[in-house]
Amino acid sequence: MLFKQPALLRQKLFVLGSLALGSLLYLVARVGSLERLQPICPVDSRAAPHTHEQIPLRTLQYKRGLLHELRRGNATKEQNLLHHLVQQLPRAIIIGVRKGGTRALLEMLNLHPAVVKASQEIHFFDNDKNYARGIDWYREKMPYSLPHQITIEKSPAYFITEEVPERIFKMNSSIKLLVIVREPTTRAISDYTQVLEGKERKNKTYHKFEKLAIDAGTCEVNTKYKAVRTSIYTKHLERWLKYFPVEQFHIVDGDRLITNPLPELQLVEKFLNLPSRISQYNLYFNATRGFYCLRFNIVFNKCLAGSKGRTHPEVDPSVVAKLRKFFHPFNQKFYQITGRTFNWP
């Protein structure tokens, strides 16, 4: 039917088609070979409208295609030198806490143009076999970055592993250390839930949380249970303070990072001596998931994996009350040491 249209109309359609094709080619050129992200989450009505100043936040976004090729081993040494890309040891590490929100924190910090994240947990300092491979092996596990960028890795097991503080101190005594915490009882139940899900996936049975958290013989809190022991934050932090001053730690509120992430991220930017670059534009609430998702620019959005935010099993209220009473004095000492108070029961 197109060829039966009047000549003027055909000309207009041709012009419009050319413009559309040009826009498409521009986007393709912008995207390049960027590393693949998870499916884009739907944006709800709370998403802030973007401005010219905000898009794109990552002024170095064009580098990501090259970084992807470097990770795959496809880039040449000449490309590496041309763009001054290097593999740097981390200048900041998220050392814990397991089920405190370490993955969410790492992904959100990666919104900042001066931050480059190690995608996988390296487990260098808490794994004797990996540690024996040496610091060069560790460096090779880091992403490529520009010299002025900060590399950050996260391995939550670092916080509770006895050998780790000394090992990190030997690498870099002035490193910045991030610890993200949640209300201790909630964190312990979340820890249990993750293990339970793994057992169920393998068709294995597992004890109820109450049986693990409470010693049947004494009816007291079972401190031998790892999920409980991990939530005694002050005990682990005191071991770290033998090597690092408290000023080198920043405590992140994991509960607040879920409900209102921007203020927490701004505090981390300040701690890392980074200019404030992450804005509300980069964080939008996904009503279906019940979590904030990330907006890197006009093209790329990202949500955390579907395994985040698991539904916790119902726990006997008397056991919850007993745990909260048990954690209370440890929490008070944690507030005193860190200078940060939380509204934990």
Side-chain angles (χ1 to χ4, degrees), residues 132-330:
R133 288 169 169 160
I135 202 72
D136 289 336
W137 178 89
Y138 182 51
R139 189 195 305 272
E140 288 171 2
K141 295 295 181 181
M142 295 299 127
Y144 282 87
S145 62
L146 294 165
H148 72 274
Q149 291 178 306
I150 294 176
T151 298
I152 298 180
E153 78 123 320
K154 75 102 175 174
S155 294
Y158 289 169
F159 187 62
I160 63 171
T161 306
E162 290 188 13
E163 299 84 2
V164 171
E166 182 179 4
R167 289 174 174 180
I168 292 182
F169 180 83
K170 286 179 179 178
M171 178 190 73
N172 182 357
S173 61
S174 61
I175 198 165
K176 305 257 185 177
L177 302 166
L178 294 163
V179 184
I180 180 166
V181 295
R182 296 188 67 194
E183 191 276 312
T185 301
T186 302
R187 195 222 63 82
I189 295 171
S190 180
D191 198 330
Y192 166 83
T193 304
Q194 178 170 312
V195 176
L196 175 65
E197 185 181 273
K199 297 284 187 182
E200 290 177 341
R201 222 170 19 237
K202 298 175 183 177
N203 294 318
K204 294 182 178 180
T205 58
Y206 196 49
H207 295 297
K208 291 189 69 174
F209 176 79
E210 292 87 341
K211 188 171 183 178
L212 295 168
I214 305 298
D215 187 307
T218 64
C219 292
E220 297 298 327
V221 172
N222 179 17
T223 55
K224 293 180 180 179
Y225 177 38
K226 189 175 180 180
V228 168
R229 201 166 61 247
T230 299
S231 284
I232 308 175
Y233 303 139
T234 185
K235 290 289 186 182
H236 305 293
L237 184 60
E238 285 173 342
R239 183 170 59 250
W240 283 85
L241 290 172
K242 293 176 183 177
Y243 295 91
F244 300 96
V246 71
E247 292 78 18
Q248 282 177 233
F249 295 85
H250 178 72
I251 309 301
V252 179
D253 186 340
D255 295 307
R256 193 182 183 204
L257 193 74
I258 295 171
T259 59
N260 186 20
L262 185 58
E264 286 299 315
L265 296 173
Q266 290 172 333
L267 289 173
V268 177
E269 285 178 321
K270 185 176 180 180
F271 172 69
L272 296 177
N273 296 318
L274 295 173
S276 181
R277 291 291 182 270
I278 303 173
S279 71
Q280 195 61 56
Y281 165 76
N282 303 109
L283 303 160
Y284 67 91
F285 188 80
N286 180 270
T288 304
R289 297 286 298 278
F291 285 94
Y292 278 86
C293 294
L294 317 179
R295 182 186 291 112
F296 287 85
N297 55 37
I298 195 171
V299 179
F300 289 100
N301 297 348
K302 181 178 183 179
C303 286
L304 297 180
S307 61
K308 303 301 177 184
R310 298 177 180 90
T311 301
H312 293 178
E314 297 246 355
V315 176
D316 186 329
S318 66
V319 171
V320 172
K322 185 182 284 285
L323 284 167
R324 286 177 172 169
K325 183 178 180 181
F326 169 80
F327 286 126
H328 182 75
F330 296 111

Side-chain angles (χ1 to χ4, degrees), residues 63-113:
K63 294 284 187 186
R64 298 188 68 186
L66 179 60
L67 295 180
H68 180 62
E69 294 303 311
L70 282 162
R71 277 194 289 275
R72 294 173 58 192
N74 295 337
T76 65
K77 189 176 291 186
E78 288 73 19
Q79 285 178 308
N80 188 347
L81 293 172
L82 177 64
H83 294 278
H84 307 290
L85 295 168
V86 291
Q87 287 174 295
Q88 303 184 77
L89 291 172
R91 280 188 270 167
I93 300 179
I94 301 172
I95 59 173
V97 176
R98 172 180 160 90
K99 306 313 299 175
T102 57
R103 173 56 61 182
L105 178 60
L106 182 67
E107 297 294 342
M108 289 179 179
L109 289 178
N110 194 49
L111 288 163
H112 199 289

